[in-house]
């Protein structure tokens, strides 16, 4: 009688929560990572289940209908990972008490919990982010911090891990998050194989600040602060000397610094650098001037000063930023335009 082959352990169950008006890529991006890991690598195996609170199919925000595998009652008792996507109207999501309760119930059965984009709001509403650091889409970070003060919101990272909870930035960042989970489970080589198969970054360079539409704060309330902000915005080069801004504002440099801190939480120098960064980003995106010329026009004085500011704030060099955001055309196209 032949030897009995040892039973292979069951593949860990990845439960992806689906609900009406969910963002399609929040669901399909991570799903593709986990299923690709299972299909194309030797050691990885995942049992991916897409589940809705009532077991019914859902219609995404883009109008595409997603078929749901099973209802919640058919899930195994223990779940490896629960992944919660988001919808653009996060308030509607957190007001869905059935969805919030479903999220919390699944989380109690899981080894780890993750969210993509506005899915962080569902985790926060379920109390799963209290006392933890978390990420979400850059446009929603302030909303998350205001609505859930027990959560420490990280504005720049593509994803944040705090204990068994992992949260990611907007939409496509769910792919980055899923690759990080695959690496955690099976090592960097496996995650790299998946990234290559999907033709995505293994680790995306820079944080999500580089995608933000605007870095500068809202206009200050104090007339002197507003006058200084207007002067800096009109020509970032004139703000190289705090004395110049103070003269425009009609106060002393020391008093202007105090007013800035009280009104904006920033020093004049920090505000000026944010204005210069915004000006440089617009020039890099919209024209072909040399980097040195752009640095001068944006008030940095030198390309090296601008490079340091970009690296410190955005995590990329000015030339990299221009390459990513100026055009979608490649430098080596495979198709010649007619």
């Amino acid at each position: 009688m032949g030897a009995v082959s040892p039973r292979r352990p069951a593949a860990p169950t990845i439960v992806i929560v689906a609900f009406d008006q969910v963002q399609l890529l929040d669901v399909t991006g991570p799903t593709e990572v986990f299923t690709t890991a299972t299909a194309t690598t030797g050691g990885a195996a995942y049992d991916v289940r897409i589940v809705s609170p009532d077991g019914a199919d859902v219609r995404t925000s883009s109008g595409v209908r997603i078929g749901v595998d099973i209802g919640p009652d058919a899930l195994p008792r223990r779940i490896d990972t629960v992944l919660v996507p988001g919808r653009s109207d996060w308030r509607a999501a957190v007001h869905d008490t059935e969805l919030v309760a479903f999220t919390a119930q699944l989380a109690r059965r899981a080894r780890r919990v993750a969210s993509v984009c506005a899915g962080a709001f569902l985790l926060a509403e379920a109390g799963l982010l209290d006392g933890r650091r978390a990420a979400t889409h850059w446009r929603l970070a302030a909303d998350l911090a205001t609505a859930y003060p027990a959560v420490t919101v990280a504005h720049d990272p593509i994803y944040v891990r705090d204990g068994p909870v992992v949260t990611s930035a907007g939409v496509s960042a769910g792919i980055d998050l899923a690759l990080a989970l695959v690496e955690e489970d099976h090592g960097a080589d496996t995650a790299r194989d998946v990234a290559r198969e999907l033709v995505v970054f293994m680790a995306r360079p820079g944080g999500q600040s580089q995608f933000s539409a605007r870095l500068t704060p809202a206009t200050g309330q104090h007339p002197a602060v507003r006058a200084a902000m207007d002067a800096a915005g009109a020509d970032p080069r004139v703000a190289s000397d705090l004395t110049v801004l103070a003269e425009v504002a009609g106060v002393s440099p020391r008093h202007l610094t105090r007013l800035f801190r009280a009104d904006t939480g920033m020093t004049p120098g920090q505000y000026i650098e944010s204005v210069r960064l915004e000006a440089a980003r617009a020039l890099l995106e919209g024209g072909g001037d040399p980097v040195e010329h752009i640095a001068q026009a944006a008030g940095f004085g030198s390309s090296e000063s601008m490079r340091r500011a970009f690296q410190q704030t955005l995590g990329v060099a000015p030339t990299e930023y221009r390459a990513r955001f100026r055009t979608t055309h490649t430098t080596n196209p495979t198709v010649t335009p007619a």
Side-chain angles (χ1 to χ4, degrees):
M1 186 174 183
V4 177
S5 300
R7 177 181 297 178
R8 294 186 61 183
T13 302
I14 308 289
V15 173
I16 299 179
V17 179
F19 48 92
D20 281 332
Q21 295 305 304
V22 69
Q23 294 191 130
L24 179 63
L25 191 58
D26 285 10
V27 177
T28 57
T31 299
E32 196 67 33
V33 170
F34 293 122
T35 56
T36 299
T38 301
T40 63
T41 65
Y46 293 102
D47 179 12
V48 181
R49 311 282 186 94
I50 297 177
V51 182
S52 62
D54 59 1
D57 293 352
V58 302
R59 187 172 293 279
T60 67
S61 59
S62 60
V64 176
R65 184 175 293 277
I66 293 179
V68 170
D69 297 324
I70 53 175
D73 294 338
L75 289 172
R77 188 176 63 85
R78 291 298 300 166
I79 299 166
D80 183 79
T81 304
V82 171
L83 191 146
V84 181
R87 61 176 291 182
S88 55
D89 185 358
W90 62 265
R91 291 177 179 84
V94 300
H95 288 153
D96 185 339
T97 55
E98 181 184 8
L99 177 60
V100 174
F102 182 58
T103 299
Q105 186 261 335
L106 289 177
R108 287 192 292 270
R109 298 160 58 183
R111 177 175 69 89
R112 64 188 174 194
V113 179
S115 69
V116 180
C117 195
F121 287 86
L122 282 168
L123 297 191
E125 183 67 20
L128 299 168
L129 296 182
D130 288 355
R132 298 187 185 277
R133 292 178 71 245
T136 188
H137 190 288
W138 60 265
R139 196 186 297 277
L140 301 176
D143 288 345
L144 183 62
T146 299
Y148 301 97
V151 182
T152 301
V153 180
H155 292 251
D156 186 50
I158 298 296
Y159 63 87
V160 169
R161 185 192 309 274
D162 191 332
V165 181
V166 192
T167 52
S168 81
V171 195
S172 66
I175 295 174
D176 301 75
L177 178 146
L179 283 170
L181 298 183
V182 170
E183 180 176 2
E184 178 182 297
D185 295 341
H186 300 285
D189 288 344
T190 297
R192 191 174 297 110
D193 287 343
V194 175
R196 287 171 175 160
E197 186 70 21
L198 297 178
V199 198
V200 296
F201 285 117
M202 169 71 166
R204 189 189 309 224
Q208 63 170 328
S209 290
Q210 61 188 296
F211 302 98
S212 172
R214 185 174 177 87
L215 295 175
T216 52
T219 303
Q221 299 302 307
H222 194 283
V225 175
R226 288 203 303 271
M229 285 181 165
D230 289 343
D235 186 353
R237 294 170 297 182
V238 308
S240 58
D241 187 348
L242 178 59
T243 304
V244 175
L245 287 185
E247 290 177 356
V248 171
V251 296
S252 69
R254 180 175 295 180
H255 189 45
L256 181 61
T257 298
R258 286 197 294 265
L259 290 173
F260 246 94
R261 285 189 181 278
D263 210 10
T264 70
M266 305 174 73
T267 66
Q270 290 169 329
Y271 178 81
I272 290 165
E273 180 160 292
S274 71
V275 169
R276 289 173 176 167
L277 276 168
E278 185 175 3
R281 291 167 67 187
L283 291 169
L284 287 166
E285 292 171 11
D289 289 344
V291 170
E292 187 66 42
H293 291 179
I294 289 174
Q296 294 288 339
F300 282 104
S302 71
S303 58
E304 178 58 26
S305 295
M306 185 169 76
R307 187 193 66 79
R308 286 197 299 267
F310 266 70
Q311 289 284 9
Q312 182 176 355
T313 305
L314 305 180
V316 294
T319 51
E320 292 177 89
Y321 183 89
R322 167 180 271 169
R324 291 179 196 168
F325 292 98
R326 185 179 172 196
T327 179
T328 58
H329 294 175
T330 64
T331 57
N332 184 28
T334 57
V335 178
T336 302

